[in-house]
């Protein structure tokens, strides 16, 4: 594969990542609105910790989570 082809594939991945982040941000906004209506606290440290553990476990990259 040429350098230009590799860069084009990276650009396509970047576009998908941006779409996914945009969708996630919209969902987070909906969660915030729901929590405001129900009186639930906005910050959920247990949820955050679980999310980070799940993502770290799902990481199949050859690169470590931290350096």
């Amino acid at each position: 594969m040429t350098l230009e082809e590799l860069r084009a594939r990276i650009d396509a991945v970047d576009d998908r990542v941006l779409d996914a982040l945009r969708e996630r941000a919209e969902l987070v906004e909906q969660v915030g609105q729901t929590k405001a209506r129900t009186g639930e606290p906005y910050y959920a440290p247990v949820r955050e910790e679980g999310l980070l553990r799940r993502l770290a476990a799902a990481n199949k990259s050859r690169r470590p989570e931290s350096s």
Side-chain angles (χ1 to χ4, degrees), residues 6-31:
L6 289 167
R7 287 181 173 158
R9 289 186 65 186
I10 288 171
D11 290 345
V13 169
D14 288 344
D15 291 343
R16 292 195 311 267
V17 168
L18 181 59
D19 287 342
L21 287 172
R22 187 178 304 116
E23 180 181 3
R24 188 185 193 288
E26 290 171 5
L27 292 167
V28 167
E29 186 175 332
Q30 290 176 26
V31 166

Side-chain angles (χ1 to χ4, degrees), residues 7-67:
R7 287 181 173 158
R9 289 186 65 186
I10 288 171
D11 290 345
V13 169
D14 288 344
D15 291 343
R16 292 195 311 267
V17 168
L18 181 59
D19 287 342
L21 287 172
R22 187 178 304 116
E23 180 181 3
R24 188 185 193 288
E26 290 171 5
L27 292 167
V28 167
E29 186 175 332
Q30 290 176 26
V31 166
Q33 292 169 357
T34 300
K35 286 184 171 192
R37 282 194 309 272
T38 63
E40 218 176 303
Y42 188 76
Y43 179 58
V46 173
R47 165 78 176 140
E48 183 178 306
E49 183 179 339
L51 169 69
L52 293 173
R53 287 181 190 274
R54 181 181 65 80
L55 292 175
N59 181 12
K60 299 196 180 8
S61 173
R62 290 180 289 187
R63 302 191 51 89
E65 287 85 30
S66 62
S67 300

